Amino acid sequence: MTETELEAQETVDARGAACPGPLMDLIGKIRSVDPGTVVLLLSDNDQSKTDVPEWAEESGNEVLGIEERDDHYAFYVEKT
């Protein structure tokens, strides 16, 4: 099985940040980009696995994919 080929135009590296830091960093970046932009959030906080999808659904943005990497998670979120 091959890894999903997702490309992001912007990256937010929130590894090491306590909750809700990663989500707050993502929200700030999403607000500053144009619709259609894909933002990659890097987070090693387990709470992000539920926070990011819940926020995306509430805010109308779309989680394109979540990858579990060696020591962190990668969230691909498209601003709608």
Side-chain angles (χ1 to χ4, degrees), residues 3-54:
E3 193 169 297
T4 307
E5 292 292 326
L6 293 170
E7 285 191 27
Q9 288 79 46
E10 300 283 341
T11 300
V12 175
D13 189 346
R15 289 177 286 188
C19 188
L23 181 59
M24 295 296 103
D25 293 347
L26 173 63
I27 291 170
K29 178 57 79 176
I30 287 285
R31 286 182 176 154
S32 73
V33 299
D34 294 328
T37 301
V38 177
V39 177
L40 170 61
L41 170 67
L42 303 176
S43 174
D44 54 8
N45 188 307
D46 285 340
Q47 188 64 39
S48 295
K49 290 189 297 185
T50 54
D51 286 354
V52 172
E54 286 176 2

